[in-house]
Amino acid sequence: MSASPKLVCLGNPLLDIQATVDEAYLAKYALKENDAILVDASSNEPKMAIFDELLQFPDVKFIAGGAAQNTARGAAYVLGSGKVGYFGSVGQDKFSSKLLAENEAAGVVSYYQEQSKVGTGKCAALITGHNRSLVTDLGAANHFTPDHLDKHWDVVEKAELFYIGGFHLTVSPEAIVKLGKHAQATGKPFVLNLSAPFIPQFFKSALEQVLPYTTYVIGNESEAAAYAEAFGLECKQDDLASIAKHVLGGSTTRTVIFTHGLEPTVIVSASDVATRPVKPLPKDSIVDTNGAGDAFAAGFMAGLTQGKNLDQSVDIGQWLAALSIQEVGASYPTEKLQY
Ligand code: 26A
């Protein structure tokens, strides 16, 4: 039996159904070109038709997804096999077999909770140019319960740090708090990704419940703007440093990292406001930006796991994001490249 994973991630395991669409297709469902939304399969939601319609698109692909799961695979790309574990809930179907196989191939140890009556969640990744619009039916991922962590509490205890996909705030804030309490009591890093603008916008109180346990909060510029709006901040919505200060909320142990596309990454802690420039890729080497943020988080987490300092960890994040952008979906090169 190999050693327990150092890095433990929690999120919503999803299979991505990715295809290139045109602007008219996005307009038909009132979707934005760069966004992530949830659809409710139990309602008569017209957007549910997207999943079937995509199957008719010529370049449709099935790719392992789920934001934190992408991060787990990316961290394992850097750290090697057996160092990263992943918790989430899946159905008992072909989709979950594929996700499990992809995690295994990447070297991620999966601790899936299995649902017998609900199918594995799926995400339609609609690509237009360099943008991606994500439409998610959470399925089984929505049924994760904190007692599944209890079943594997030895894994939690042996972990050295934690990564939480903010998307999971829609599923089980209780599970996140449970991990957060353990991390806080044991002094282990506890990292939360804001994941999407709708998280601060519509899951503000769940976010407020979890923030006190965080030692790092990661987001991008649109999530920062949504945070500023949700919390009624008076600063400009693109004033990332001021928004980050609010996320710190007086904490001396928290660091906030906002990526900003090609603009420098903003890093704010109680003692410092810093930026790290991004090396732009030539436009024609970009395949799609689906998963770029997950890959950034993956490199960052791998750096922290290896005991690298903050700047080095951010650099590894930027490096891995650049590699992922050159692959289809939230994937990493088959070849093992060294940072
Ligand atoms: C709760 N929601 C909406 C989601 C997601 C999600 N992962 C977890 N929960 N909506 C989209 N994703 C994933 O984000 C990745 C790109 O960053 C997609 O599966 C995609 O792989």
Side-chain angles (χ1 to χ4, degrees), residues 124-137:
L126 310 176
I127 307 291
T128 49
H130 290 164
N131 296 313
R132 93 287 181 270
S133 192
L134 305 173
V135 179
T136 293
D137 166 15

Side-chain angles (χ1 to χ4, degrees), residues 97-153:
S97 309
K98 179 168 166 75
L99 294 181
L100 187 64
E102 293 282 346
N103 278 356
E104 267 171 19
V108 173
V109 189
S110 306
Y111 301 96
Y112 284 153
Q113 184 174 19
E114 286 188 6
Q115 309 297 333
S116 56
K117 298 196 179 70
V118 200
T120 300
K122 48 194 192 285
C123 171
L126 310 176
I127 307 291
T128 49
H130 290 164
N131 296 313
R132 93 287 181 270
S133 192
L134 305 173
V135 179
T136 293
D137 166 15
L138 276 173
N142 211 11
H143 297 268
F144 188 86
T145 48
D147 61 327
H148 189 66
L149 295 173
D150 294 328
K151 286 197 188 119
H152 297 279
W153 200 250

Side-chain angles (χ1 to χ4, degrees), residues 218-275:
I218 303 177
N220 65 23
E221 74 280 19
S222 42
E223 292 146 19
Y227 178 98
E229 168 126 30
F231 286 80
L233 307 195
E234 279 173 8
C235 64
K236 287 215 182 113
Q237 290 207 348
D238 62 355
D239 181 355
L240 298 184
S242 296
I243 301 168
K245 283 269 179 208
H246 189 275
V247 180
L248 286 185
S251 165
T252 52
T253 52
R254 189 172 305 143
T255 301
V256 179
I257 300 155
F258 283 139
T259 60
H260 192 184
L262 289 175
E263 303 288 315
T265 302
V266 177
I267 306 161
V268 179
S269 62
S271 57
D272 198 20
V273 176
T275 56

